[in-house]
Amino acid sequence: MSMTWNISWHLCKTLFKIILIGHSLGAIVSMHYASRHPSQIRGLVLLGAGRSIAHIPAARERMLGMAAKTREEGIQAAADMAASSNFPPQGLVASETRDL
């Protein structure tokens, strides 16, 4: 990093507070950041932050499996898994819900 960038970043941190906007995982990351750096935050806009599903054994197992696969095979494997589980082939979606 250049010295100019470091100075600019320091000035921004000390002179300006930011508004973080996050959806889903981004909302969770925003909340964690805000909790660790409250003096830098002006506000939060959170959409679909949800809550932890760690108490549901099947969901916990699936998330841990996805994390392990991502560590082993890279981010593309996680993206492919998310796309296939969230967007099933058209023939598998009931016709009455397909156009909602």
Side-chain angles (χ1 to χ4, degrees):
M1 286 184 214
S2 71
M3 183 171 9
T4 303
W5 189 91
N6 283 329
I7 292 170
S8 297
W9 174 244
H10 178 71
L11 284 172
C12 285
K13 277 186 8 180
T14 56
L15 297 177
F16 304 103
K17 291 186 176 193
I18 59 173
I19 297 172
L20 291 175
I21 301 170
H23 173 254
S24 191
L25 179 59
I28 294 167
V29 170
S30 296
M31 287 189 287
H32 280 275
Y33 185 89
S35 71
R36 293 176 187 216
H37 307 283
S39 64
Q40 298 173 8
I41 305 300
R42 182 172 181 186
L44 293 169
V45 178
L46 307 173
L47 303 166
R51 64 183 197 101
S52 174
I53 59 171
H55 66 285
I56 303 169
R60 180 179 173 81
E61 184 177 323
R62 180 163 171 17
M63 294 306 289
L64 290 173
M66 287 176 62
K69 185 171 182 139
T70 303
R71 281 192 294 276
E72 292 168 10
E73 299 178 28
I75 194 66
Q76 186 61 48
D80 292 344
M81 192 181 332
S84 67
S85 65
N86 289 306
F87 304 102
Q90 290 237 343
L92 298 178
V93 178
S95 60
E96 62 271 9
T97 60
R98 188 174 297 137
D99 296 324
L100 294 179

